[in-house]
Amino acid sequence: KYTDLEYNQKRKQFRESHGLGSEEIVFIHTGKMPEDKETELLLKAFLKVKDERARLYIAGTTNPDFQLIIESYIKRDKRIIFLGWQNQANLADIMCGSDVMIQPGSLSQVFIDAICCRLPLILDDTPQAEYLLSFNNGLKNFREEQLILNSINDLLDDDKRSYMKANAIEAS
């Protein structure tokens, strides 16, 4: 958990270094891909997001074949950014600079870190997600493209996202 000063410094540094203003809404997705992270399903859904403020940052490792798949989506939508593998400290900075953690696939320890970085979560509907989201700090969905798209669109709403962010702060 970060103090307001630490959080604001990390957030400002990340956003400035990536040319992001306050109006862009950054969704962060992490992990070993593809495995069971449902990254391609997320990419398919994200291509249908019409709101130009939305950005999808992907941090993690992948195999060469899946790297080509990610690159094909990046070519189709400049709002998708692949950061590659990040150490724990960099990942925390990225999360502080982001607005929503979106993980439609398998569980990860990074969910706890995301809550500590004040992020609302979009998670697969599992018993663990039920607990992690029990503070009204995110949304559950099933592994379906349209439901992922709906969740993204829901959290593009500034009021809803702010409400869930405040709840994430309380949860941490």
Side-chain angles (χ1 to χ4, degrees), residues 32-43:
K32 294 175 187 153
M33 295 163 256
E35 300 214 2
D36 197 23
K37 299 295 180 198
E38 298 295 350
T39 304
E40 190 166 12
L41 190 61
L42 170 58
L43 288 164

Side-chain angles (χ1 to χ4, degrees), residues 61-128:
T61 58
T62 186
N63 62 50
D65 291 337
F66 197 69
Q67 177 70 36
L68 293 174
I69 291 170
I70 292 172
E71 288 172 6
S72 75
Y73 282 94
I74 291 170
K75 287 177 186 172
R76 292 162 60 191
D77 192 331
K78 64 179 176 41
R79 300 172 304 156
I80 301 169
I81 295 92
F82 182 68
L83 300 171
W85 180 85
Q86 301 292 315
N87 66 33
Q88 191 69 22
N90 286 348
L91 193 55
D93 292 347
I94 293 164
M95 287 190 287
C96 286
S98 298
D99 298 292
V100 178
M101 164 70 69
I102 183 162
Q103 298 288 123
S106 61
L107 295 173
S108 172
Q109 172 64 35
V110 76
F111 301 164
I112 304 298
D113 298 334
I115 292 170
C116 291
C117 291
R118 307 173 182 199
L119 290 178
L121 307 172
I122 299 173
L123 303 176
D124 188 25
D125 188 13
T126 64
Q128 293 85 355

Side-chain angles (χ1 to χ4, degrees), residues 120 136-139 155 159-168:
N136 269 338
N137 57 315
L139 302 171
L155 288 182
D159 292 336
K160 188 167 194 172
R161 196 178 55 261
S162 293
Y163 170 76
M164 290 188 175
K165 180 177 182 172
N167 292 337

